[in-house]
Amino acid sequence: MPLGWVVTIITWGCLFWYYMEIIQGAAFEMDELPEVDIGAGFEFLWNIFKSIYLFAVAVIVAELPFIIIVTLLGKMGIELPGLFGALMLAGLLSFPMVILTLSTESRLWMVFRVDYLWVPILKAFRPYAVTAGLVVLGGLLQWFTVDYNQLSGQNKTIVGLHLAAHIGAQIIIIIAMRTIGLFYRHYSCYFPY
């Protein structure tokens, strides 16, 4: 049914919007979670579209260089076991920095500057590794709790555990988004912009 897809897209759009609001609030000295006021009418639809678009751009920008490297190595006949996974993990490592740049900076082209993304990561690697680890943990937990088709016909305990895992994933992701904003707040001296 198209209604299910519409509700799913609106839900993810609202979540992505709130994630970006959390990052921006934490980055710019707000110590509480932002209020949920996504707007109404066309503003609501625009915020949903923009948030989904920016998250998609962030994933593409973070992963594309590593996908190109794997593709080029494959065309040259070089196939190392585990290389694809390692390079995708490197792309996930840069994802929090990309989403941070998209959430806090009005000049979106800055995500294409490798030095703007990797200099802060390398200069404050340990705090950034904690941030990226939280993002990956929340994302993986979310990934494994999305398939609701497998829950039809299951007993209430399994459905309840699935719901608890889904809520737990959202809590971890909210903490991760706040951590991304705090990384910017505390290590802004390493950012070239």
Side-chain angles (χ1 to χ4, degrees):
M1 297 272 310
L3 183 61
W5 282 103
V6 169
V7 170
T8 301
I9 290 169
I10 289 173
T11 303
W12 280 107
C14 290
L15 279 172
F16 290 159
W17 171 84
Y18 194 64
Y19 296 160
M20 294 178 82
E21 289 293 312
I22 291 170
I23 293 170
Q24 188 175 26
F28 298 119
E29 307 292 330
M30 196 163 86
D31 290 327
E32 297 176 6
L33 289 176
E35 291 185 28
V36 180
D37 183 18
I38 195 168
F42 287 116
E43 180 185 10
F44 174 76
L45 293 175
W46 170 247
N47 284 331
I48 287 173
F49 173 76
K50 182 178 76 168
S51 300
I52 291 173
Y53 173 76
L54 289 176
F55 259 78
V57 166
V59 170
I60 291 168
V61 167
E63 293 291 349
L64 189 60
F66 302 101
I67 292 172
I68 291 171
I69 291 170
V70 167
T71 304
L72 291 176
L73 290 175
K75 287 188 179 192
M76 291 190 292
I78 302 170
E79 292 187 27
L80 300 171
L83 178 65
F84 181 76
L87 289 175
M88 291 300 107
L89 187 61
L92 283 178
L93 181 69
S94 66
F95 175 76
M97 188 60 71
V98 174
I99 202 67
L100 171 66
T101 304
L102 291 174
S103 297
T104 58
E105 190 59 43
S106 61
R107 296 170 288 179
L108 301 181
W109 59 267
M110 294 175 70
V111 296
F112 298 107
R113 294 278 310 261
V114 176
D115 57 331
Y116 282 11
L117 295 180
W118 284 95
V119 167
I121 294 172
L122 296 175
K123 289 193 176 195
F125 184 75
R126 279 206 226 151
Y128 186 79
V130 170
T131 301
L134 282 170
V135 171
V136 170
L137 177 66
L140 286 176
L141 190 54
Q142 181 67 47
W143 181 271
F144 290 118
T145 60
V146 166
D147 190 14
Y148 294 106
N149 294 331
Q150 65 186 359
L151 294 178
S152 62
Q154 296 288 337
N155 65 23
K156 292 181 181 179
T157 305
I158 292 176
V159 173
L161 289 172
H162 189 82
L163 178 62
H166 190 68
I167 292 170
Q170 289 304 313
I171 290 169
I172 291 170
I173 292 170
I174 287 172
I175 292 169
M177 296 301 130
R178 178 108 176 115
T179 307
I180 292 171
L182 291 174
F183 179 81
Y184 179 82
R185 185 192 304 184
H186 293 289
Y187 297 99
S188 60
C189 59
Y190 296 138
F191 285 79
Y193 51 89

